[in-house]
Amino acid sequence: MDNRPIGVFDSGLGGLTVVKAIKKLLPNESILYFGDTARLPYGVKSKKLVIEYSNQIVKFLIKKNAKMIIVACNTATAMALEELKYNFKDTPIIGVIEPGSIQASLDSINKKIGVIGTAATIKSRAYNYALKAIDNNINVFSKDCPLFVPFVEEGMVEGEAINLIVAHYLSSFKNNIDTIILGCTHYPLLEPVIKKYVKDIKLVDSASAVAKHANMILDECKIKNGYKKRGSLDCFVTDLPRQFEKLGRNFLGESINEPQLVDDF
Ligand code: DGL
């Protein structure tokens, strides 16, 4: 038993979709959430910079007593997970790419899987490697969708403009594949509008797969929370705490307390 919190981080708000899934599956666990709102988006940055930012954040969360780290950002997982595991060997660290890939490999029947994500995630080919490692016969079709994140941040998750953008990005996918991985933490909010376009293609939202994986690791390391009461959620951001509080509701599905501002790494 270990009553310390789980540390979760993302470049901004998107990782709250993972927090939502963890709160549902593991309601007793307390969570420290870090959103690097001053330095987002990560999806267009270099590997070197994303590694540097991720190292700073994990150090911060471990100092705040986190017992485990969830990298709730596809870009940071693609670019920094291996480095983080190497640098912080005493703390279990998991990302979002492996759990999402395992789920997609189970869901796909024709073994033709589409992956959508930020430019950095797609360029890294991290999903290709993860899916091929699970089953070498899987064919992976990737597409970066750089306009999705700003639309979600603007709350424009339905309507004519986003419909056109979805069609623009996903038209090449339509007849080939039977499963699409939403390989960016913002994309679960676009699930209805993507579903409307791709119809019976299955969509894999890695958030719930990550929560299941976290549950397994907590069991394996014997660090589950022993308290029977509901866990807490404390948020930290590097800029604009009020805006985070306001928009965070859309990602979490419930209101959040105003986060603490961190400006002294
Ligand atoms: N959180 C990032 C991801 O999952 C998307 C936003 C960004 O580019 O920072 O890839």
Side-chain angles (χ1 to χ4, degrees):
M1 296 296 174
D2 188 334
N3 298 331
R4 291 177 299 155
I6 298 172
V8 180
F9 81 90
D10 178 38
S11 55
L13 290 154
L16 288 172
T17 55
V18 174
V19 170
K20 186 178 175 187
I22 296 169
K23 277 169 71 86
K24 193 167 166 211
L25 187 70
L26 300 160
N28 299 344
E29 294 294 336
S30 290
I31 298 169
L32 300 177
Y33 182 84
F34 193 108
D36 196 2
T37 46
R39 303 186 291 194
L40 70 82
Y42 282 8
V44 293
K45 297 219 161 52
S46 68
K47 182 168 177 163
K48 183 172 168 280
L49 215 51
V50 174
I51 288 176
E52 187 186 315
Y53 295 167
S54 302
N55 271 320
Q56 285 175 339
I57 295 168
V58 172
K59 210 163 151 191
F60 174 90
L61 289 169
I62 290 176
K63 235 184 177 167
K64 289 271 175 206
N65 221 11
K67 61 181 171 185
M68 171 188 186
I69 301 291
I70 301 179
V71 185
C73 172
N74 287 265
T75 308
T77 303
M79 293 180 160
L81 183 64
E82 289 318 310
E83 187 98 5
L84 293 173
K85 283 184 171 173
Y86 182 81
N87 290 344
F88 303 94
K89 289 198 180 71
D90 294 336
T91 308
I93 303 184
I94 65 168
V96 284
I97 291 180
E98 202 189 344
S101 300
I102 293 170
Q103 188 58 50
S105 73
L106 296 172
D107 287 350
S108 175
I109 293 163
N110 72 2
K111 301 212 180 293
K112 291 186 171 138
I113 298 178
V115 180
I116 55 175
T118 64
T121 299
I122 298 303
K123 194 163 158 243
S124 74
R125 297 178 61 79
Y127 274 101
N128 299 58
Y129 300 133
L131 287 162
K132 288 279 184 193
I134 295 163
D135 180 348
N136 202 28
N137 294 318
I138 292 175
N139 287 304
V140 187
F141 302 84
S142 321
K143 180 78 192 148
D144 56 324
C145 306
L147 287 174
F148 281 179
V149 167
F151 265 72
V152 171
E153 301 253 326
E154 279 296 311
M156 293 176 69
V157 295
E158 55 184 14
E160 211 173 314
I162 190 67
N163 283 341
L164 284 172
I165 292 168
V166 166
H168 169 75
Y169 285 140
L170 304 188
S171 56
S172 58
F173 275 166
K174 266 191 126 175
N175 298 316
N176 295 324
I177 54 175
D178 69 355
T179 306
I180 294 178
I181 300 176
L182 305 178
C184 172
T185 46
H186 281 59
Y187 296 0
L189 277 91
L190 294 174
E191 199 166 333
V193 76
I194 294 175
K195 191 73 199 161
K196 201 164 77 189
Y197 182 72
V198 299
K199 302 222 162 52
D200 30 316
I201 296 178
K202 258 182 229 124
L203 298 182
V204 175
D205 155 12
S206 40
S208 46
V210 173
K212 277 188 222 154
H213 192 65
N215 187 22
M216 198 185 84
I217 301 290
L218 291 171
D219 274 336
E220 243 173 58
C221 301
K222 300 189 172 46
I223 52 171
K224 253 195 177 146
N225 197 321
Y227 287 147
K228 286 280 169 277
K229 63 178 178 54
R230 238 185 136 66
S232 56
L233 170 63
D234 293 300
C235 297
F236 302 87
V237 294
T238 45
D239 200 10
L240 300 173
R242 281 265 160 78
Q243 189 170 322
F244 181 94
E245 183 192 352
K246 203 170 127 222
L247 296 176
R249 237 172 277 163
N250 301 338
F251 288 82
L252 194 63
E254 60 185 89
S255 58
I256 33 180
N257 294 331
E258 188 175 325
Q260 284 178 47
L261 184 66
V262 180
D263 50 11
D264 56 340
F265 272 127

